[in-house]
Amino acid sequence: MPIVTIQITREGSTPDASAATAQEKAALIKGVSELLRDVLNKPLTSTFVVIDEVETENWGRGGLPVEQFRLQQSAQAPE
């Protein structure tokens, strides 16, 4: 019985979205489940997928909150 946890930031994939859509989450669940079936021969019915959405203020990278990290990266990016 595989259990897969996917952690994503709570923000949308488009500027007008504040979180992943139900369709995007369904695609993640389907894709992960099919990958486990295809690679490890795990039945779809025994695979559990949990999507954990984390507020960006609770997510960090490079020693910084993710929003600060992104600002730093964009300031350093060549134009």
Side-chain angles (χ1 to χ4, degrees):
M1 170 178 66
I3 301 171
V4 178
T5 302
I6 301 171
Q7 290 185 309
I8 58 175
T9 54
R10 184 181 299 273
E11 56 190 321
S13 55
T14 60
D16 60 331
S18 61
T21 67
Q23 294 86 359
E24 290 167 333
K25 292 175 189 178
L28 288 171
I29 292 166
K30 180 180 180 191
V32 167
S33 299
E34 289 176 350
L35 180 65
L36 285 166
R37 179 198 61 205
D38 296 346
V39 174
L40 298 177
N41 201 32
K42 300 295 182 181
L44 293 175
T45 56
S46 69
T47 298
F48 293 83
V49 180
V50 177
I51 299 173
D52 182 19
E53 291 182 290
V54 180
E55 297 292 341
T56 55
E57 65 195 33
N58 297 327
W59 192 278
R61 183 173 175 194
L64 298 169
V66 73
E67 296 294 343
Q68 290 179 19
F69 179 82
R70 290 174 181 171
L71 287 172
Q72 182 184 67
Q73 293 298 301
S74 65
Q76 296 174 357
E79 294 182 25

